[in-house]
Each structure stands twice: as C-alpha cells, then as structure tokens.
Amino acid sequence: MSHTRDNWLTSLFRVWRREFYLVFHDLGVMLFFFALPLFYPIVYTLIYNPELIRDMPIAVVDHSRTAPSRELARMVDATDGLKVYQYAPDMEAARRMMNRKEVYGILEIPAGYARQLGRGEQANVTYYADVSLLLRYRQALFNLTDLQMAIATRHQQEKIASGGLLLQDIGGSPIDSQSVMMGDPTQGFASFIMPGVLVLILHQSLILGVAMLAGGSAERRRRNGGLDPMSVDAPASATLIGKTLCYTTIYIPMALYALHFVPWMFTLPHLDSMLDSLVYILPMTVAASMLGFCVASFVTEREASLMVVVFTSVVFLFLSGLTWPRYAMGSFWQLVGGFIPATWGIEGFIRLNSNGATFAQQSHPAMMLWGLAALYFALAWILTRRFGLFAGARRTSPRTV
C-alpha cells in the first residue's frame, strides 16, 4: 500500500514537472497564461477611465425664448455631465448635429414653458437621447433628474413664500433622500464592471491555455500512433491533479496581480485582503482547470482552442450576472450559469472586494466552486480513462516532439 502511494506521488510530481516544461516551451500557451492576464486588465481598465462622462455636448431647441427658458439652459450647462454645445433654431437642425455626432442629446423647451411656470402649472421639457452608449444616457438622466428636483423645490418655496411664509421657515422637500452606491461610490462604470471582468479574464485565459495544451497533445498523438511522447505515463487522477497543481502555481501570482494591484493602480474598489482573495480564487482556479480538461475532449488541434473562447466568453459574461442580474434570469439560465465556475467566482469576489464582506459571509459561492471542482474532476477522470485524452508513451524523452 505504501509502495503504491509512493508511486502515485512520484507520478504526480513527474506530471507537475512535465507540465511546467510544456507551458514554458509553448509560446502560445505562455501568451494565454501570462501576457493575457498581465495586459488585458490594464487595457480594459484604461478603456473605461475616466469612469464618468463629463461635459457631454447637447443642443438646445428653445421655442420659448424667455428668461426662464434661458435660465434653464444655463443651469443645464452648469452641470458636471452636460454642456450646451449650440442653440439650434429648430429640431431639424438639432437632428443634423446629432447625426454628425456633434451632440449626443437634444433638449427641447416648449413655447409655453415660461407661461406654465408663471401659472404654477407643470411645465414639460423633452430630452432626446443618443443611446448608442448607455453611459451617456445614464449621465444625462442623472443630471436632468437632479436639476428637475432642484427647480421644483425652488418654485415650491417661492409659491409658499408668496402666501406670507418666510423662506427660512421652508425646508424644501419634506423628505431628504440620499443615494449610497455600495461597492461603487464614484458611480463609475469601471468600478462597477471591472472587478468581475478581472475574474472572467483569469477564468477564460486558464481554460484557453488548457485547451491549447490539449490540442498540442492531440496533434502529437496523431503523429505517434495514438501516444503522446511528451506526456507522462501516470494514473488518470495523478495526471489531472498534477496538471492542476501546475496551473494553480502559475495563477496564484497572476491572481494577485489582476485582483489587487490592478484595482490599486486605477483606484478601483479593493476592500478585501489578499488572504481572502487567494482562499476564494483557489477553488475557482481548480474548477476552471477541471472544466478545461472536459472542454479539451472536444479539441483536436491547437487552433481549435481559440473557438472555445469565441463560443464561451460572451455566454459566460452574460450568465455571470454582470450585464443582467441572475435573479432576473429564467430558471433554466440560472441553472446553466450555476455550472460555470466564473459565475460563482465573480459573485463572491465582488462581494468581498467591493462590498467588504468577509470570507465567512461568502461561504456559499466558495462551496459551490469546490462542488464544481469535484464534479468536473469526476467527469474529466471518466473522459481520460475512457478516451485516453492524455495517453503517454511508456518511455519518453524530454526532447521528443
């Protein structure tokens, strides 16, 4: 029994060592394991910095041409997010400016604006938004909503004051509400989406590298009568665990860099500790490696691994809940998303990193990741035993190709 265990551990070490050799002698795999996690987080974060839209140009179509309408335009121009680019004589001219991308919104003030305000009636102002980029629409909506509330409060105060009450006795709105954006105090898009994207980058680069290694092994088997001379003749369990240990060893520093140093460099939310992140990212790395082994059963060429990313990246992004909350999805899609390690990795990491939760409070996603790791390990073990995905020659030479 002891001799069998020693042989198994020796096989495990040989697989781990040989996998390191294969990784560092394959330029394509090194690009996916190192270059992609190193540079993609910086490129993505630079795209979304600065996080907020400032001084977005809009056109004003003033049909009222009165002092109150000009005051409204000046107040819009004074906001942080909007800037009056030009007064248009009519809507047709304003639309031409929007078609030429000179402006990204049109504020139309009706002819009866001042008269309605003078009568104490509700005055309607129309805003036409270019929604080709939702960040612009969001910024305009926030600024116009705040401006609307400020104008309404001021007119309410003036109306009550005209009845004989002192202005200092009027507190404005009876309820003062404040918005607290948990996990995203700046309300920036990068602070919102980048923590999850960083986890997805690690997840996808790992699966892509594993699939490319498997494609290379499949090509060597075709050239050598069904045996891969670069593989180690070892039990299926030792092969899977040894390879996973290699990938985990490589991805620990990659995870530290992507999940802690990148948010620190760009002042993104990073409230968790390194220890919490490592303890949490570890099961996701193991589960993603095991999923990569299962995906590798469909990869017969190195180039085919690129198709894995093409067909999975967008799907994984949507199912993770970053672009649409998971609770609003149908039961079927929630079930499918639950089988993707990145889904639980993103959910748990965002709560740790952005919302300041403790690891004990986020034990459920961690347990789900370990469960997926066990599930995909069993599936990969069956595929390896049945189809010989990593079949190695009895006698191998490190230089044999």
mmCIF file of all heavy atoms in Angstrom, residues 342-376:
data_model
loop_
_atom_site.group_PDB
_atom_site.id
_atom_site.type_symbol
_atom_site.label_atom_id
_atom_site.label_comp_id
_atom_site.label_asym_id
_atom_site.label_seq_id
_atom_site.Cartn_x
_atom_site.Cartn_y
_atom_site.Cartn_z
ATOM 1 N N ALA A 342 -16.806 30.690 -13.285
ATOM 2 C CA ALA A 342 -16.665 32.145 -13.256
ATOM 3 C C ALA A 342 -17.877 32.821 -12.630
ATOM 4 O O ALA A 342 -17.753 33.893 -12.038
ATOM 5 C CB ALA A 342 -16.451 32.678 -14.673
ATOM 6 N N THR A 343 -19.061 32.209 -12.756
ATOM 7 C CA THR A 343 -20.267 32.804 -12.172
ATOM 8 C C THR A 343 -20.129 32.958 -10.667
ATOM 9 O O THR A 343 -20.357 34.035 -10.110
ATOM 10 C CB THR A 343 -21.488 31.942 -12.502
ATOM 11 O OG1 THR A 343 -21.657 31.867 -13.920
ATOM 12 C CG2 THR A 343 -22.749 32.519 -11.880
ATOM 13 N N TRP A 344 -19.735 31.882 -10.001
ATOM 14 C CA TRP A 344 -19.574 31.936 -8.548
ATOM 15 C C TRP A 344 -18.316 32.703 -8.160
ATOM 16 O O TRP A 344 -18.292 33.370 -7.115
ATOM 17 C CB TRP A 344 -19.528 30.521 -7.986
ATOM 18 C CG TRP A 344 -20.770 29.755 -8.295
ATOM 19 C CD1 TRP A 344 -20.902 28.735 -9.196
ATOM 20 C CD2 TRP A 344 -22.065 29.963 -7.725
ATOM 21 N NE1 TRP A 344 -22.201 28.296 -9.222
ATOM 22 C CE2 TRP A 344 -22.937 29.028 -8.330
ATOM 23 C CE3 TRP A 344 -22.574 30.834 -6.769
ATOM 24 C CZ2 TRP A 344 -24.278 28.945 -8.002
ATOM 25 C CZ3 TRP A 344 -23.922 30.759 -6.434
ATOM 26 C CH2 TRP A 344 -24.760 29.822 -7.050
ATOM 27 N N GLY A 345 -17.281 32.632 -9.000
ATOM 28 C CA GLY A 345 -16.076 33.402 -8.710
ATOM 29 C C GLY A 345 -16.343 34.895 -8.745
ATOM 30 O O GLY A 345 -15.893 35.642 -7.875
ATOM 31 N N ILE A 346 -17.084 35.348 -9.757
ATOM 32 C CA ILE A 346 -17.407 36.775 -9.869
ATOM 33 C C ILE A 346 -18.314 37.210 -8.726
ATOM 34 O O ILE A 346 -18.107 38.259 -8.099
ATOM 35 C CB ILE A 346 -18.058 37.049 -11.233
ATOM 36 C CG1 ILE A 346 -17.029 36.894 -12.354
ATOM 37 C CG2 ILE A 346 -18.683 38.443 -11.272
ATOM 38 C CD1 ILE A 346 -17.622 36.966 -13.741
ATOM 39 N N GLU A 347 -19.333 36.411 -8.437
ATOM 40 C CA GLU A 347 -20.286 36.788 -7.385
ATOM 41 C C GLU A 347 -19.594 36.926 -6.034
ATOM 42 O O GLU A 347 -19.774 37.918 -5.318
ATOM 43 C CB GLU A 347 -21.391 35.738 -7.302
ATOM 44 C CG GLU A 347 -22.423 36.031 -6.222
ATOM 45 C CD GLU A 347 -23.548 35.014 -6.199
ATOM 46 O OE1 GLU A 347 -23.891 34.484 -7.276
ATOM 47 O OE2 GLU A 347 -24.091 34.749 -5.100
ATOM 48 N N GLY A 348 -18.794 35.945 -5.674
ATOM 49 C CA GLY A 348 -18.133 36.007 -4.379
ATOM 50 C C GLY A 348 -17.060 37.071 -4.313
ATOM 51 O O GLY A 348 -16.941 37.781 -3.307
ATOM 52 N N PHE A 349 -16.271 37.205 -5.374
ATOM 53 C CA PHE A 349 -15.178 38.176 -5.337
ATOM 54 C C PHE A 349 -15.709 39.605 -5.271
ATOM 55 O O PHE A 349 -15.139 40.443 -4.554
ATOM 56 C CB PHE A 349 -14.286 38.004 -6.564
ATOM 57 C CG PHE A 349 -13.192 39.024 -6.636
ATOM 58 C CD1 PHE A 349 -12.119 38.965 -5.761
ATOM 59 C CD2 PHE A 349 -13.235 40.053 -7.572
ATOM 60 C CE1 PHE A 349 -11.112 39.914 -5.810
ATOM 61 C CE2 PHE A 349 -12.243 41.000 -7.630
ATOM 62 C CZ PHE A 349 -11.174 40.928 -6.745
ATOM 63 N N ILE A 350 -16.769 39.911 -6.004
ATOM 64 C CA ILE A 350 -17.315 41.267 -5.963
ATOM 65 C C ILE A 350 -17.800 41.598 -4.560
ATOM 66 O O ILE A 350 -17.603 42.722 -4.060
ATOM 67 C CB ILE A 350 -18.444 41.415 -6.993
ATOM 68 C CG1 ILE A 350 -17.863 41.470 -8.405
ATOM 69 C CG2 ILE A 350 -19.274 42.670 -6.720
ATOM 70 C CD1 ILE A 350 -18.895 41.594 -9.497
ATOM 71 N N ARG A 351 -18.434 40.650 -3.896
ATOM 72 C CA ARG A 351 -18.914 40.922 -2.546
ATOM 73 C C ARG A 351 -17.757 41.106 -1.566
ATOM 74 O O ARG A 351 -17.836 41.927 -0.650
ATOM 75 C CB ARG A 351 -19.823 39.786 -2.080
ATOM 76 C CG ARG A 351 -21.135 39.723 -2.854
ATOM 77 C CD ARG A 351 -21.973 38.536 -2.449
ATOM 78 N NE ARG A 351 -23.208 38.480 -3.221
ATOM 79 C CZ ARG A 351 -24.095 37.488 -3.121
ATOM 80 N NH1 ARG A 351 -23.866 36.485 -2.288
ATOM 81 N NH2 ARG A 351 -25.186 37.508 -3.857
ATOM 82 N N LEU A 352 -16.697 40.335 -1.754
ATOM 83 C CA LEU A 352 -15.528 40.513 -0.900
ATOM 84 C C LEU A 352 -14.806 41.814 -1.215
ATOM 85 O O LEU A 352 -14.451 42.583 -0.320
ATOM 86 C CB LEU A 352 -14.561 39.341 -1.086
ATOM 87 C CG LEU A 352 -14.962 37.964 -0.550
ATOM 88 C CD1 LEU A 352 -13.934 36.933 -0.983
ATOM 89 C CD2 LEU A 352 -15.092 37.981 0.955
ATOM 90 N N ASN A 353 -14.583 42.056 -2.495
ATOM 91 C CA ASN A 353 -13.735 43.155 -2.930
ATOM 92 C C ASN A 353 -14.450 44.504 -2.897
ATOM 93 O O ASN A 353 -13.869 45.503 -2.467
ATOM 94 C CB ASN A 353 -13.249 42.875 -4.360
ATOM 95 C CG ASN A 353 -12.387 43.986 -4.892
ATOM 96 O OD1 ASN A 353 -11.240 44.126 -4.523
ATOM 97 N ND2 ASN A 353 -12.934 44.806 -5.784
ATOM 98 N N SER A 354 -15.695 44.550 -3.343
ATOM 99 C CA SER A 354 -16.397 45.828 -3.478
ATOM 100 C C SER A 354 -17.277 46.149 -2.283
ATOM 101 O O SER A 354 -17.412 47.319 -1.906
ATOM 102 C CB SER A 354 -17.245 45.826 -4.759
ATOM 103 O OG SER A 354 -16.437 45.602 -5.896
ATOM 104 N N ASN A 355 -17.909 45.146 -1.702
ATOM 105 C CA ASN A 355 -18.855 45.393 -0.619
ATOM 106 C C ASN A 355 -18.283 45.140 0.763
ATOM 107 O O ASN A 355 -18.965 45.337 1.759
ATOM 108 C CB ASN A 355 -20.112 44.535 -0.803
ATOM 109 C CG ASN A 355 -20.864 44.904 -2.066
ATOM 110 O OD1 ASN A 355 -20.714 46.007 -2.589
ATOM 111 N ND2 ASN A 355 -21.675 43.989 -2.581
ATOM 112 N N GLY A 356 -17.033 44.665 0.836
ATOM 113 C CA GLY A 356 -16.389 44.494 2.128
ATOM 114 C C GLY A 356 -16.889 43.316 2.939
ATOM 115 O O GLY A 356 -16.722 43.294 4.167
ATOM 116 N N ALA A 357 -17.485 42.318 2.293
ATOM 117 C CA ALA A 357 -17.946 41.135 3.017
ATOM 118 C C ALA A 357 -16.753 40.297 3.464
ATOM 119 O O ALA A 357 -15.656 40.394 2.905
ATOM 120 C CB ALA A 357 -18.872 40.301 2.136
ATOM 121 N N THR A 358 -16.955 39.472 4.460
ATOM 122 C CA THR A 358 -15.911 38.569 4.927
ATOM 123 C C THR A 358 -16.036 37.233 4.209
ATOM 124 O O THR A 358 -17.078 36.914 3.633
ATOM 125 C CB THR A 358 -16.020 38.342 6.446
ATOM 126 O OG1 THR A 358 -17.285 37.719 6.742
ATOM 127 C CG2 THR A 358 -15.934 39.673 7.185
ATOM 128 N N PHE A 359 -14.962 36.455 4.268
ATOM 129 C CA PHE A 359 -14.996 35.154 3.609
ATOM 130 C C PHE A 359 -16.055 34.248 4.227
ATOM 131 O O PHE A 359 -16.722 33.480 3.526
ATOM 132 C CB PHE A 359 -13.620 34.487 3.698
ATOM 133 C CG PHE A 359 -13.576 33.132 3.061
ATOM 134 C CD1 PHE A 359 -13.517 32.997 1.685
ATOM 135 C CD2 PHE A 359 -13.609 31.987 3.840
ATOM 136 C CE1 PHE A 359 -13.483 31.749 1.089
ATOM 137 C CE2 PHE A 359 -13.565 30.731 3.261
ATOM 138 C CZ PHE A 359 -13.507 30.621 1.882
ATOM 139 N N ALA A 360 -16.242 34.333 5.549
ATOM 140 C CA ALA A 360 -17.255 33.504 6.206
ATOM 141 C C ALA A 360 -18.658 33.830 5.704
ATOM 142 O O ALA A 360 -19.517 32.953 5.592
ATOM 143 C CB ALA A 360 -17.174 33.698 7.720
ATOM 144 N N GLN A 361 -18.904 35.112 5.378
ATOM 145 C CA GLN A 361 -20.216 35.505 4.865
ATOM 146 C C GLN A 361 -20.441 35.040 3.435
ATOM 147 O O GLN A 361 -21.584 34.986 2.982
ATOM 148 C CB GLN A 361 -20.361 37.036 4.938
ATOM 149 C CG GLN A 361 -20.381 37.581 6.356
ATOM 150 C CD GLN A 361 -20.298 39.096 6.383
ATOM 151 O OE1 GLN A 361 -19.761 39.726 5.473
ATOM 152 N NE2 GLN A 361 -20.826 39.698 7.439
ATOM 153 N N GLN A 362 -19.371 34.715 2.721
ATOM 154 C CA GLN A 362 -19.471 34.288 1.330
ATOM 155 C C GLN A 362 -19.049 32.829 1.173
ATOM 156 O O GLN A 362 -18.402 32.461 0.199
ATOM 157 C CB GLN A 362 -18.617 35.202 0.439
ATOM 158 C CG GLN A 362 -19.111 36.624 0.376
ATOM 159 C CD GLN A 362 -20.573 36.703 -0.035
ATOM 160 O OE1 GLN A 362 -20.979 36.103 -1.023
ATOM 161 N NE2 GLN A 362 -21.363 37.430 0.729
ATOM 162 N N SER A 363 -19.417 32.004 2.130
ATOM 163 C CA SER A 363 -19.029 30.598 2.068
ATOM 164 C C SER A 363 -19.814 29.838 1.003
ATOM 165 O O SER A 363 -19.311 28.856 0.444
ATOM 166 C CB SER A 363 -19.243 29.944 3.431
ATOM 167 O OG SER A 363 -20.609 30.064 3.841
ATOM 168 N N HIS A 364 -21.039 30.283 0.695
ATOM 169 C CA HIS A 364 -21.857 29.547 -0.286
ATOM 170 C C HIS A 364 -21.216 29.531 -1.677
ATOM 171 O O HIS A 364 -21.072 28.443 -2.272
ATOM 172 C CB HIS A 364 -23.263 30.140 -0.358
ATOM 173 C CG HIS A 364 -24.119 29.532 -1.426
ATOM 174 N ND1 HIS A 364 -24.548 28.223 -1.380
ATOM 175 C CD2 HIS A 364 -24.613 30.041 -2.595
ATOM 176 C CE1 HIS A 364 -25.271 27.952 -2.452
ATOM 177 N NE2 HIS A 364 -25.315 29.032 -3.207
ATOM 178 N N PRO A 365 -20.809 30.686 -2.253
ATOM 179 C CA PRO A 365 -20.128 30.609 -3.555
ATOM 180 C C PRO A 365 -18.856 29.776 -3.510
ATOM 181 O O PRO A 365 -18.547 29.051 -4.469
ATOM 182 C CB PRO A 365 -19.826 32.082 -3.880
ATOM 183 C CG PRO A 365 -20.826 32.859 -3.109
ATOM 184 C CD PRO A 365 -21.018 32.080 -1.849
ATOM 185 N N ALA A 366 -18.109 29.843 -2.409
ATOM 186 C CA ALA A 366 -16.887 29.050 -2.304
ATOM 187 C C ALA A 366 -17.206 27.557 -2.304
ATOM 188 O O ALA A 366 -16.524 26.754 -2.957
ATOM 189 C CB ALA A 366 -16.117 29.432 -1.043
ATOM 190 N N MET A 367 -18.249 27.166 -1.581
ATOM 191 C CA MET A 367 -18.646 25.760 -1.556
ATOM 192 C C MET A 367 -19.136 25.302 -2.934
ATOM 193 O O MET A 367 -18.889 24.167 -3.355
ATOM 194 C CB MET A 367 -19.741 25.547 -0.510
ATOM 195 C CG MET A 367 -19.279 25.715 0.938
ATOM 196 S SD MET A 367 -17.941 24.573 1.413
ATOM 197 C CE MET A 367 -16.505 25.665 1.301
ATOM 198 N N MET A 368 -19.817 26.189 -3.638
ATOM 199 C CA MET A 368 -20.269 25.849 -4.989
ATOM 200 C C MET A 368 -19.070 25.634 -5.913
ATOM 201 O O MET A 368 -19.089 24.742 -6.773
ATOM 202 C CB MET A 368 -21.166 26.948 -5.535
ATOM 203 C CG MET A 368 -22.510 27.071 -4.824
ATOM 204 S SD MET A 368 -23.512 25.571 -4.940
ATOM 205 C CE MET A 368 -23.802 25.497 -6.709
ATOM 206 N N LEU A 369 -18.029 26.429 -5.739
ATOM 207 C CA LEU A 369 -16.827 26.261 -6.559
ATOM 208 C C LEU A 369 -16.138 24.934 -6.273
ATOM 209 O O LEU A 369 -15.706 24.234 -7.195
ATOM 210 C CB LEU A 369 -15.863 27.427 -6.317
ATOM 211 C CG LEU A 369 -16.242 28.757 -6.966
ATOM 212 C CD1 LEU A 369 -15.326 29.868 -6.473
ATOM 213 C CD2 LEU A 369 -16.171 28.656 -8.485
ATOM 214 N N TRP A 370 -16.028 24.582 -5.000
ATOM 215 C CA TRP A 370 -15.428 23.285 -4.682
ATOM 216 C C TRP A 370 -16.298 22.140 -5.202
ATOM 217 O O TRP A 370 -15.783 21.099 -5.629
ATOM 218 C CB TRP A 370 -15.217 23.147 -3.179
ATOM 219 C CG TRP A 370 -14.028 23.897 -2.661
ATOM 220 C CD1 TRP A 370 -14.029 24.922 -1.753
ATOM 221 C CD2 TRP A 370 -12.653 23.677 -3.006
ATOM 222 N NE1 TRP A 370 -12.752 25.367 -1.520
ATOM 223 C CE2 TRP A 370 -11.875 24.618 -2.271
ATOM 224 C CE3 TRP A 370 -12.005 22.796 -3.867
ATOM 225 C CZ2 TRP A 370 -10.502 24.682 -2.369
ATOM 226 C CZ3 TRP A 370 -10.618 22.863 -3.964
ATOM 227 C CH2 TRP A 370 -9.890 23.790 -3.227
ATOM 228 N N GLY A 371 -17.627 22.330 -5.152
ATOM 229 C CA GLY A 371 -18.517 21.316 -5.706
ATOM 230 C C GLY A 371 -18.334 21.152 -7.204
ATOM 231 O O GLY A 371 -18.312 20.026 -7.727
ATOM 232 N N LEU A 372 -18.190 22.288 -7.927
ATOM 233 C CA LEU A 372 -17.934 22.213 -9.368
ATOM 234 C C LEU A 372 -16.582 21.578 -9.648
ATOM 235 O O LEU A 372 -16.432 20.826 -10.622
ATOM 236 C CB LEU A 372 -18.000 23.616 -9.982
ATOM 237 C CG LEU A 372 -19.381 24.258 -10.078
ATOM 238 C CD1 LEU A 372 -19.270 25.658 -10.677
ATOM 239 C CD2 LEU A 372 -20.327 23.412 -10.922
ATOM 240 N N ALA A 373 -15.591 21.888 -8.806
ATOM 241 C CA ALA A 373 -14.271 21.275 -8.993
ATOM 242 C C ALA A 373 -14.365 19.758 -8.872
ATOM 243 O O ALA A 373 -13.779 19.016 -9.679
ATOM 244 C CB ALA A 373 -13.287 21.834 -7.966
ATOM 245 N N ALA A 374 -15.118 19.265 -7.880
ATOM 246 C CA ALA A 374 -15.280 17.815 -7.715
ATOM 247 C C ALA A 374 -16.067 17.219 -8.885
ATOM 248 O O ALA A 374 -15.726 16.138 -9.392
ATOM 249 C CB ALA A 374 -15.989 17.530 -6.391
ATOM 250 N N LEU A 375 -17.120 17.922 -9.336
ATOM 251 C CA LEU A 375 -17.936 17.420 -10.451
ATOM 252 C C LEU A 375 -17.120 17.312 -11.727
ATOM 253 O O LEU A 375 -17.135 16.270 -12.408
ATOM 254 C CB LEU A 375 -19.133 18.356 -10.657
ATOM 255 C CG LEU A 375 -19.997 18.078 -11.894
ATOM 256 C CD1 LEU A 375 -20.686 16.731 -11.775
ATOM 257 C CD2 LEU A 375 -21.019 19.203 -12.090
ATOM 258 N N TYR A 376 -16.395 18.365 -12.058
ATOM 259 C CA TYR A 376 -15.623 18.345 -13.304
ATOM 260 C C TYR A 376 -14.404 17.431 -13.196
ATOM 261 O O TYR A 376 -13.938 16.901 -14.214
ATOM 262 C CB TYR A 376 -15.208 19.761 -13.683
ATOM 263 C CG TYR A 376 -16.365 20.602 -14.169
ATOM 264 C CD1 TYR A 376 -16.633 21.855 -13.616
ATOM 265 C CD2 TYR A 376 -17.207 20.141 -15.166
ATOM 266 C CE1 TYR A 376 -17.701 22.612 -14.051
ATOM 267 C CE2 TYR A 376 -18.276 20.897 -15.607
ATOM 268 C CZ TYR A 376 -18.521 22.132 -15.040
ATOM 269 O OH TYR A 376 -19.585 22.872 -15.474
#
